[in-house]
Amino acid sequence: MSWTDERVELLKKLWSDGLSASQIAAELGGITRNAVIGKVHRLGLSGRAKSPTSSAPRPRKARSSGHMIRVQRPQVRGNTALAYDYEVEPEPELLEIPLEQRKTLLQLNEKTCRWPVGDPSGPDFFFCGGEAAEDQPYCSFHCRVAYQPANDRRRQKPAFRG
DNA sequence: CCCTGATTCGC
DNA sequence: GCGAATCAGG
Protein backbone atom coordinates (compact mmCIF):
# COMPACT_ATOMS: atom_id res chain seq x y z
CA MET A 1 0.00 0.00 0.00
CA SER A 2 1.15 3.51 -0.72
CA TRP A 3 0.11 6.96 0.38
CA THR A 4 -2.33 7.99 -2.29
CA ASP A 5 -3.93 11.40 -2.02
CA GLU A 6 -7.09 9.69 -0.95
CA ARG A 7 -5.48 7.79 1.87
CA VAL A 8 -3.59 10.86 3.04
CA GLU A 9 -6.81 12.83 3.23
CA LEU A 10 -8.44 10.07 5.23
CA LEU A 11 -5.43 9.95 7.49
CA LYS A 12 -5.66 13.69 8.11
CA LYS A 13 -9.33 13.44 8.90
CA LEU A 14 -9.07 10.50 11.26
CA TRP A 15 -6.03 11.93 12.99
CA SER A 16 -7.74 15.24 13.59
CA ASP A 17 -10.76 13.33 14.81
CA GLY A 18 -8.59 12.02 17.59
CA LEU A 19 -8.26 8.42 16.52
CA SER A 20 -5.11 6.68 17.62
CA ALA A 21 -2.46 5.71 15.14
CA SER A 22 -3.30 2.04 15.41
CA GLN A 23 -6.98 2.72 14.93
CA ILE A 24 -6.22 4.70 11.83
CA ALA A 25 -3.95 1.96 10.59
CA ALA A 26 -6.78 -0.52 11.00
CA GLU A 27 -9.14 1.83 9.22
CA LEU A 28 -6.86 2.35 6.28
CA GLY A 29 -5.86 -1.25 6.13
CA GLY A 30 -2.67 -2.93 5.00
CA ILE A 31 -0.57 -0.67 7.13
CA THR A 32 0.93 -0.52 10.60
CA ARG A 33 0.57 2.15 13.23
CA ASN A 34 4.23 2.97 12.77
CA ALA A 35 3.53 3.85 9.18
CA VAL A 36 0.72 6.10 10.30
CA ILE A 37 2.83 7.84 12.90
CA GLY A 38 5.69 8.24 10.51
CA LYS A 39 3.39 9.79 7.93
CA VAL A 40 1.78 12.04 10.48
CA HIS A 41 5.18 13.43 11.38
CA ARG A 42 6.22 13.88 7.81
CA LEU A 43 3.02 15.79 7.18
CA GLY A 44 3.83 17.95 10.14
CA LEU A 45 0.57 17.43 11.98
CA SER A 46 2.05 15.68 14.94
CA GLY A 47 0.61 17.94 17.61
CA ARG A 48 -3.03 17.14 18.09
CA ALA A 49 -5.66 19.37 19.58
CA LYS A 50 -7.35 17.12 22.06
CA SER A 51 -4.81 14.47 22.83
CA PRO A 52 -4.75 13.59 26.49
CA THR A 53 -1.34 12.67 27.86
CA SER A 54 -2.72 9.43 29.05
CA SER A 55 -3.22 6.69 26.58
CA ALA A 56 -6.92 7.23 26.37
CA PRO A 57 -8.44 3.81 25.97
CA ARG A 58 -11.18 3.00 23.59
CA PRO A 59 -13.65 5.84 23.35
CA ARG A 60 -16.69 4.91 25.31
CA LYS A 61 -20.12 6.29 25.48
CA ALA A 62 -20.11 9.13 27.94
CA ARG A 63 -22.34 7.53 30.50
CA SER A 64 -23.14 4.08 31.62
CA SER A 65 -26.28 3.18 33.52
CA GLY A 66 -24.52 0.30 35.19
CA HIS A 67 -26.99 -2.00 33.55
CA MET A 68 -25.82 -1.73 30.04
CA ILE A 69 -25.61 -4.58 27.67
CA ARG A 70 -22.03 -5.38 26.86
CA VAL A 71 -21.34 -6.08 23.24
CA GLN A 72 -18.15 -7.32 21.75
CA ARG A 73 -17.21 -6.16 18.32
CA PRO A 74 -14.32 -8.04 16.80
CA GLN A 75 -11.79 -5.96 14.95
CA VAL A 76 -8.84 -7.03 12.89
CA ARG A 77 -5.75 -4.90 13.19
CA GLY A 78 -2.94 -6.01 10.98
CA ASN A 79 -2.65 -9.69 11.65
CA THR A 80 -4.02 -9.39 15.15
CA ALA A 81 -7.63 -9.93 16.05
CA LEU A 82 -8.87 -7.70 18.83
CA ALA A 83 -12.19 -7.46 20.58
CA TYR A 84 -13.41 -4.21 22.01
CA ASP A 85 -16.20 -3.80 24.48
CA TYR A 86 -19.01 -1.50 23.61
CA GLU A 87 -21.97 -0.66 25.69
CA VAL A 88 -25.55 -0.21 24.73
CA GLU A 89 -27.83 1.98 26.75
CA PRO A 90 -31.18 0.25 27.04
CA GLU A 91 -33.04 2.82 29.12
CA PRO A 92 -31.94 6.45 28.98
CA GLU A 93 -34.51 7.50 31.56
CA LEU A 94 -32.64 5.57 34.20
CA LEU A 95 -30.25 8.49 34.31
CA GLU A 96 -32.99 10.92 35.28
CA ILE A 97 -32.05 10.81 38.90
CA PRO A 98 -31.85 14.13 40.74
CA LEU A 99 -28.30 15.08 41.65
CA GLU A 100 -29.21 15.86 45.24
CA GLN A 101 -30.72 12.41 45.67
CA ARG A 102 -27.76 10.40 44.43
CA LYS A 103 -25.70 8.61 47.01
CA THR A 104 -22.31 7.03 47.43
CA LEU A 105 -21.80 3.56 48.77
CA LEU A 106 -21.17 4.85 52.27
CA GLN A 107 -24.40 6.84 52.27
CA LEU A 108 -26.59 3.84 51.67
CA ASN A 109 -28.80 2.21 54.25
CA GLU A 110 -31.80 -0.09 54.38
CA LYS A 111 -34.13 2.70 53.42
CA THR A 112 -32.30 3.97 50.38
CA CYS A 113 -32.50 2.64 46.89
CA ARG A 114 -29.31 0.79 46.18
CA TRP A 115 -29.63 0.73 42.41
CA PRO A 116 -26.17 1.33 40.96
CA VAL A 117 -25.66 3.74 38.10
CA GLY A 118 -22.56 4.11 36.01
CA ASP A 119 -19.19 2.45 35.83
CA PRO A 120 -18.14 1.39 39.35
CA SER A 121 -14.51 2.09 38.48
CA GLY A 122 -15.28 5.53 37.13
CA PRO A 123 -15.78 8.92 38.77
CA ASP A 124 -19.45 9.15 37.91
CA PHE A 125 -20.59 6.09 39.74
CA PHE A 126 -23.43 6.53 42.19
CA PHE A 127 -26.47 4.88 43.64
CA CYS A 128 -30.04 5.98 43.04
CA GLY A 129 -30.54 6.97 46.66
CA GLY A 130 -34.31 7.19 46.43
CA GLU A 131 -36.63 5.87 49.08
CA ALA A 132 -36.55 2.11 49.05
CA ALA A 133 -39.86 0.34 48.65
CA GLU A 134 -41.15 -1.89 51.42
CA ASP A 135 -38.70 -4.76 52.03
CA GLN A 136 -36.92 -3.97 48.83
CA PRO A 137 -33.40 -2.87 48.00
CA TYR A 138 -34.71 -0.45 45.39
CA CYS A 139 -37.14 2.39 45.08
CA SER A 140 -40.46 1.67 43.43
CA PHE A 141 -39.19 2.76 40.07
CA HIS A 142 -36.14 0.56 40.11
CA CYS A 143 -38.14 -2.33 41.54
CA ARG A 144 -40.19 -2.17 38.41
CA VAL A 145 -37.09 -1.91 36.28
CA ALA A 146 -35.36 -4.72 38.09
CA TYR A 147 -38.18 -7.20 38.31
CA GLN A 148 -39.81 -6.51 35.01
CA PRO A 149 -38.92 -8.78 32.10
CA ALA A 150 -36.48 -6.97 29.86
CA ASN A 151 -38.77 -7.23 26.87
CA ASP A 152 -41.51 -5.32 28.64
CA ARG A 153 -39.49 -2.31 29.70
CA ARG A 154 -40.00 -0.32 26.59
CA ARG A 155 -43.76 -0.76 26.67
CA GLN A 156 -44.34 0.48 30.19
CA LYS A 157 -41.80 3.25 30.60
CA PRO A 158 -42.71 4.18 34.16
CA ALA A 159 -42.02 7.77 35.08
CA PHE A 160 -39.24 8.16 37.56
CA ARG A 161 -40.39 9.12 41.04
CA GLY A 162 -37.43 8.26 43.22
C1' DC B 1 1.39 -7.11 29.06
C1' DC B 2 -1.89 -3.97 27.14
C1' DC B 3 -1.69 0.41 24.89
C1' DT B 4 -0.04 5.41 23.36
C1' DG B 5 2.95 8.78 20.33
C1' DA B 6 8.04 10.03 19.21
C1' DT B 7 12.29 9.15 17.19
C1' DT B 8 15.91 7.01 14.55
C1' DC B 9 17.88 5.32 10.55
C1' DG B 10 18.52 1.84 6.80
C1' DC B 11 16.17 1.26 2.79
C1' DG C 1 9.54 9.33 1.54
C1' DC C 2 8.77 5.23 3.92
C1' DG C 3 8.13 2.40 8.04
C1' DA C 4 10.28 -1.26 11.34
C1' DA C 5 12.57 -1.03 15.39
C1' DT C 6 13.03 1.14 19.32
C1' DC C 7 12.15 4.20 23.07
C1' DA C 8 9.52 6.45 26.76
C1' DG C 9 5.50 6.66 29.02
C1' DG C 10 0.30 5.59 31.04
Side-chain angles (χ1 to χ4, degrees):
Chain A
M1 271 307 203
S2 60
W3 287 111
T4 61
D5 288 351
E6 209 173 67
R7 289 163 66 81
V8 171
E9 286 309 307
L10 185 52
L11 165 64
K12 287 180 183 174
K13 179 188 181 300
L14 297 176
W15 182 259
S16 62
D17 282 352
L19 273 76
S20 74
S22 54
Q23 286 176 312
I24 296 172
E27 199 75 24
L28 290 171
I31 211 176
T32 67
R33 71 180 202 94
N34 283 313
V36 169
I37 293 173
K39 187 60 176 175
V40 161
H41 277 255
R42 266 172 260 125
L43 289 171
L45 28 86
S46 122
R48 255 197 301 201
K50 193 195 168 187
S51 182
T53 12
S54 62
S55 53
R58 245 42 71 234
R60 304 225 150 172
K61 294 303 179 188
R63 275 291 169 90
S64 160
S65 74
H67 298 272
M68 290 186 159
I69 304 161
R70 288 189 88 68
V71 177
Q72 280 214 327
R73 190 178 76 176
Q75 194 175 95
V76 176
R77 178 182 292 173
N79 55 7
T80 307
L82 301 174
Y84 291 125
D85 282 334
Y86 285 84
E87 290 180 329
V88 174
E89 173 59 86
E91 288 293 330
E93 65 265 29
L94 292 181
L95 293 175
E96 296 172 8
I97 297 174
L99 282 170
E100 62 274 17
Q101 177 190 295
R102 301 178 181 190
K103 287 188 164 46
T104 68
L105 180 61
L106 294 178
Q107 295 171 320
L108 295 177
N109 61 42
E110 314 75 39
K111 298 188 188 309
T112 59
C113 177
R114 280 151 274 169
W115 185 268
V117 182
D119 180 355
S121 64
D124 296 330
F125 182 65
F126 63 89
F127 292 89
C128 167
E131 185 182 348
E134 193 74 24
D135 295 325
Q136 295 292 334
Y138 309 127
C139 66
S140 57
F141 173 80
H142 284 128
C143 280
R144 270 173 286 164
V145 173
Y147 304 137
Q148 191 178 101
N151 289 343
D152 288 353
R153 289 184 194 172
R154 177 172 296 282
R155 190 169 51 75
Q156 288 207 11
K157 265 196 179 178
F160 180 74
R161 302 192 202 294

